[in-house]
Every structure is written in structure tokens, then in C-alpha cells.
């Protein structure tokens, strides 16, 4: 089934079940008011949401036409946003771009950071541009939404924790990264609000493409109308979602609704393109001595989606434009 | 007013207003079901909660005796837990302890990390001990809970964002820190669930002790029955909460209910003692060549509180013991 969140009167919006073709939805208030509430009680709510999805498919329930602009992030705010960097090609290129070495444990010890999750962007929300000198970049990623995940969960037991799959645009302010990481405490100011795809889907929607804790489909990134990346999300995800869950659950538990990201989807084969501008700039530097592609500016657009083998946009399309931030300063 | 959260049937508990002496409470369900709900609509709910507090003080409302063990963290889960390291004495000592240099921008650029916030510990919850080799430590801190804080908020405008004050025990796995920070992405596995004080109080409860974005009171840490720290939280907080808010709001906005921590409260005057074991171990190393104090083990107790000039425990007492974790492995 495919779930979404309608923008509503309050911060958490309203849970809806979306049809297989993404064109219609039905309200799920009889099951749970919000996606977080559904996840809090998933064993009870999931079968009822699945029944609603079936009724929607069969035309046995009231449905409305879906306007994507009315959809918020499936979780408009989340209790945790945990993001890995699981595609080693990305780690190697981006570290090279900022003159840093990949960690020695690159292949044995996942890179993970804790992101801000109190304000998340919907799939068509503008990306606010503060200071253009900050170096705005997109990052196309695959995510899972976890159910309750106890400390000590193993990779072998992690499949049961993966309740939903969606896409993310993990927006990054590249030029703030080196100084921030240099202080030793990780990303903070360099990671503004992240955007998510219209739909969060149960893994069974992916069919055989969901296996070994990886999504074996391509993530397509379209920047200013040009397809800049059509990148395989499966084989080069060095640490699978199952590996990542075992890693993060070593020292603590996670609540239902925690979002876990793959990191920027990246392939060693350059013909596949890129899922962020930083990689392209590094390739340009390697090939020509300096980066040619500027970071994002006001008016730029980025679209991110993932097509299945029938050409269906599994999680719907993230389609954002960059807008200069009109800061409302409290003074 | 003083607010708390009773453990209840669901994850978020039930909002209560607590009497000035901390002995009684009244349920606040007529105003808001949870503290998060109250914060989401603070302009409307705060005056009504204040009226309830006044009625409780005057004996004009149904009250029940308060059993501290029934209190959860004021926010049992939060949308963000943002923790600074604003006492420079702590930064200098702890970095020395792990052979790292303080960052060059120590005095101009706050150290901040994004903590996990999906599962927070109540004030009397056991601290789970996984592997004793991880080096379990407490950290006594002061926190504020923010209201909605827009991007661009200045230090001059930050007072209005500080809705509540409480204490934290920012539990740290010291021996996991060096390798984790060495990877460059900041704390993650080394920061398990944080515990918070029984009460979150409005700044006016602190009277003149709340000024310049700092809490001018002492934080007392009692480890295994010994008062190991009685540390001034005010003058040596190099970056005030107002400074920290301006810093974090430079590149994004924060939702109501975001918790912002001061970092381990620390004074250069060694007679004041310590608010974590890492500092004591570093002082021992400086004085005798090696640390003498081991990290925490099963059965150890830690209590953290803050007394005002009348000797009242402003936020109530964090009182935890360490218990060996019985990992429930999913396999």
C-alpha cells in the first residue's frame, strides 16, 4: 500500500491511502489520524490500512482526486532522521572534493549522522536559499521508516523493522561542511530541512526489487529539466538497510517513525550520472582541474523519483524549486 | 509554573501541572493532553496552564499526591534534541582527555551536535549498561525547551523562544567517542538515550537567576551518594542560550518542543567539582599521570538537581541507577 499525508489544519496533517496509480486517495481517519499514529500502533493499523487500500483499488470506498501539491512529507515532522552514507563511491568522491581522506573503516563501519527532524519539507515545497555562498546542493536518497526497533536488533532481524520505503532530498549546504566537520561534532548548520517523496510505500509494493535490505531500482534526478542521474540504488549500497539498523541499534533503541536514509545514491559507472552536484563538481575537477557546475541558485528545479519495472513512479515525485528566503527576523 | 508528564497508556503520557513544593499535581487534560500539544499551541495554552497552576496553589482544583516514579521525561519523545558544549572548561578538559585539540574557533563558534530524541528517559529510569567497556558516563546539563523558532532568529529575539527550563543527564559512552568522531560525522552510537528532570518550568520560576540567556544557579551532581559537583551554571556558560539559538537558527527553523542543551556544566575552579566523570579522570591524569576513577558500572547511582536561593529543587531531581541491559535480540 501507498500512504501519504494531506496538509491539514495542524502540523501533522491527515493520513491518506493512495491508489496504485497515484491519482486518487481515500482518507484513513477511521484507522489513524496521522502516519505517526499509525506507526505507533502498526500491528493493529497496518492490516486495516491494507484493507482500505484494497477497497480503494476495487472502487468500494469514497475516493478523491489527488493533487500532489496538497501532500506534505509522509511525516511532516519525525522523532528521528538518521542518515547514512552507504554508497562508497559518493563518500570517496565527496571527501576528495573537500580534500579529506575517507575513513580507514570505510568498508567495515557505516558512516551515520543524526539529522534534524522537527521540520521536514513536503515533496513540492520550495527549498529556501539563505546565503548563496553556502553552496546549496541536493542529494537523492532512498529511506525506510522504521517501526519500533529495540536495542540489539540484528541484521537478520531487521527486515521486520522496515515498515515503509520513501525517497528523500537531503539538502546540504556544501560550503558550510568543511568548517563544521572540522570542529569535530558532525553536521548541523550544513544540513537544513530535508524533503521527502509524496508516498511512503510498504516494501511489498517493490516486489522483487526489495531484497537483502536494498531497493534494486534506479533513482532518477532531474536538475533544471535535465536528467543528471539515473543511478542504481541496489548493488552499490555497501551497507544494506539491515546492516545499518543493526549498527544503529547497537547502543540504543528507536521509536516507530524513525526515518533511516541510505545516503546519496551513487554508482562508480559515470555513465549513470550523479545524485548531487558535489559529485559532478568533483568529476569535473578530476577531468579538467576545476569544478564547472555551480551550486544551486534561486529558480533552479530538482525532481527525484524512482520507477519500477512497469515504469510506475513508486514513491511519487519530489519536485522542488529553489526560492530566496525572505527571513523574518525577530529582533 | 512547573509542568510534568505522568506515564500513561500511550507513549506521550499525560500533561500535569505541579505545585510549587513539588508534592502535588493536577491533571491538565482540559488544556492539552500532552506537553507537546501544549507547546504546539503555546500562546493559547500557556495562560490557561498558568491559571491552573494558580488554582492548584490556592487549593481550588482537584490535586493528587505526586509520586516522582510516575513521572516520565516532560517530553517522553521530542522532535529534536540539540546539544551544545558551551562551558569551555569542559571542552578543553575532555579534548585533552582524548588527546584532541580544542577547535580554533572555540570562543567564537559554538560546538553543537544533533542528538537522538525518539526515546528519552524519565528522571528515575534506569540507565541501561550495554558493554561496560563502552565507558558509561553521566553529564549534568541545563536545557531549554523552545517554542517555534524561525530561521533568522537573533540572540536579541531569542528570549521569546525559551518556553521552559529543565535539567538533563546526557549519557555518554566515552570509549566510543574517539573512533566515532574520527570518522568525521559526529556523535551517534556514543550518545544513547538522554534523561530529563521531573519538571520543566517556565523561566519566571527562576526569578532573577534567569538572565542573559543563562541560569545563574548551581547544578549539583551526586554520584554513588557523594556530592561530586556543585557547579555554577551561569557565568562560565560562554555561549548563552540566546547565542546558541541565534547560531542554530542561522540555516533552519525549529519546531515547538525542540530541546536545546547547554553542554556539561563546568567551572575552571576545581573546588566546584565535576558534572561528569571524564573531567575528573582528566584532572587525575594531570595530577597523578593516570585516571583513577572508573566509568559507571551496574548499581552505580547518579542524582542531578538545581537548588534555588530558597533551597528549592527547581526542576526536581534526576535520580538514576545503572542496570545491566538484558538485550532482547530479534533474530
Amino acid at each position: 500500500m501507498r500512504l501519504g499525508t494531506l496538509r491539514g489544519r495542524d502540523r501533522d496533517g491527515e493520513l491518506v491511502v493512495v491508489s496504485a496509480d497515484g491519482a486518487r486517495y481515500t482518507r484513513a481517519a477511521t484507522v489513524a489520524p496521522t502516519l505517526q499514529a499509525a506507526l505507533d500502533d502498526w500491528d493493529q493499523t497496518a492490516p486495516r490500512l491494507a484493507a482500505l487500500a484494497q477497497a480503494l483499488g476495487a472502487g468500494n470506498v469514497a475516493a478523491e482526486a489527488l493533487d500532489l501539491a496538497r501532500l506534505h512529507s509522509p511525516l511532516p515532522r519525525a522523532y528521528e532522521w538518521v542518515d547514512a552514507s552507504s554508497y562508497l563511491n559518493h563518500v570517496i568522491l565527496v571527501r576528495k572534493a573537500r580534500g579529506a581522506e575517507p575513513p580507514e573503516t570505510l568498508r567495515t563501519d557505516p558512516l551515520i549522522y543524526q539529522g534534524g527532524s522537527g521540520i521536514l519539507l513536503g515533496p513540492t515545497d520550495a527549498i529556501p536559499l539563505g546565503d548563496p555562498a553556502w553552496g546549496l546542493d541536493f542529494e537523492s536518497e532512498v529511506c525506510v521508516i522504521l517501526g519500533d526497533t529495540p536495542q540489539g536488533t540484528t541484521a537478520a532481524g531487521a527486515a521486520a523493522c522496515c515498515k515503509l520505503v520513501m525517497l528523500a532530498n537531503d539538502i546540504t549546504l556544501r560550503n558550510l561542511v568543511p568548517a563544521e566537520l572540522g570542529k569535530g561534532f558532525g553536521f548541523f548548520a550544513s544540513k537544513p530541512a530535508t524533503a521527502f517523496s509524496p508516498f511512503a510505500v510498504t516494501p511489498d509494493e517493490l516486489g522483487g526489487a526489495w531484497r537483502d535490505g536494498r531497493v534494486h531500482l534506479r533513482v532518477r534526478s532531474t536538475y533544471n529539466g535535465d536528467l543528471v542521474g539515473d543511478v542504481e540504488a541496489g548493488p552499490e549500497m555497501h551497507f544494506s538497510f539491515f546492516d545499518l539498523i543493526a549498527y544503529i541499534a547497537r547502543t540504543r533503541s528507536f521509536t516507530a517513525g524513525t526515518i533511516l536514509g541510505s545516503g546519496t545514491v551513487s554508482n562508480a559507472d559515470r555513465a549513470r550520472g550523479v545524485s548531487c552536484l558535489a559529485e559532478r563538481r568533483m568529476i569535473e575537477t578530476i577531468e579538467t582541474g576545476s569544478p564547472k557546475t555551480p551550486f544551486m541558485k534561486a529558480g533552479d528545479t530538482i525532481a527525484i523519483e524512482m520507477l519500477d519495472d512497469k515504469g510506475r513512479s513508486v514513491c511519487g515525485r519530489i519536485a522542488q524549486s529553489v526560492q530566496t528566503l525572505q527571513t523574518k527576523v525577530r529582533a
Side-chain angles (χ1 to χ4, degrees), chain A residues 203 206-217 234-235 237 240-242:
Chain A
L206 303 172
W210 171 249
R211 59 180 190 273
D212 303 327
R214 296 173 178 86
V215 176
H216 290 267
L217 294 173
M237 187 181 183
S240 74
F241 283 113
F242 300 163

Side-chain angles (χ1 to χ4, degrees), chain A residues 75-256:
Chain A
L75 290 168
R77 51 184 180 176
Y79 290 108
E80 301 207 24
W81 159 228
V82 175
D83 199 13
S85 191
S86 209
Y87 297 87
L88 301 190
N89 188 61
H90 174 77
V91 179
I92 292 165
L93 275 179
V94 172
R95 296 241 171 174
K96 199 178 278 186
R98 55 171 204 264
E101 288 296 313
E104 286 177 21
T105 55
L106 180 70
R107 285 175 172 76
T108 54
D109 197 14
L111 284 167
I112 298 266
Y113 79 92
Q114 185 93 39
S117 55
I119 295 177
L120 304 175
L121 300 182
T124 59
D125 281 342
I127 303 173
L129 180 70
D131 184 342
W134 292 342
L136 185 68
D137 199 0
F138 61 92
E139 290 193 350
S140 311
E141 304 196 3
V142 180
C143 311
V144 292
I145 301 180
L146 303 182
D148 286 309
T149 300
Q151 185 171 351
T153 298
T154 63
C161 302
C162 299
K163 304 305 186 190
L164 296 164
V165 174
M166 61 181 178
L167 300 175
N169 179 7
D170 179 39
I171 298 155
T172 301
L173 302 171
R174 293 283 175 207
N175 294 339
L176 300 187
V177 171
E180 187 154 78
L181 297 196
K183 291 197 288 175
F185 273 28
F187 301 100
F188 191 89
S190 55
K191 292 284 187 181
T194 307
F196 293 91
S197 55
F199 316 132
V201 307
T202 44
D204 60 0
E205 288 282 324
L206 303 172
W210 171 249
R211 59 180 190 273
D212 303 327
R214 296 173 178 86
V215 176
H216 290 267
L217 294 173
R218 289 186 186 169
V219 173
R220 296 165 60 90
S221 301
T222 304
Y223 179 49
N224 291 335
D226 294 330
L227 183 70
V228 295
D230 190 15
V231 182
E232 294 282 0
E236 292 179 57
M237 187 181 183
H238 184 79
F239 301 102
S240 74
F241 283 113
F242 300 163
D243 298 330
L244 295 174
I245 290 167
Y247 179 80
I248 66 174
R250 193 168 59 117
T251 61
R252 57 183 168 108
S253 302
F254 292 83
T255 193

Side-chain angles (χ1 to χ4, degrees), chain A residues 38 43 68 71 77 94 104 130 190 217 242 260 271 275 296 301:
Chain A
D43 288 347
L68 279 181
L71 286 186
R77 51 184 180 176
V94 172
E104 286 177 21
S190 55
L217 294 173
F242 300 163
L260 174 63
S275 304
M296 299 174 88
T301 61

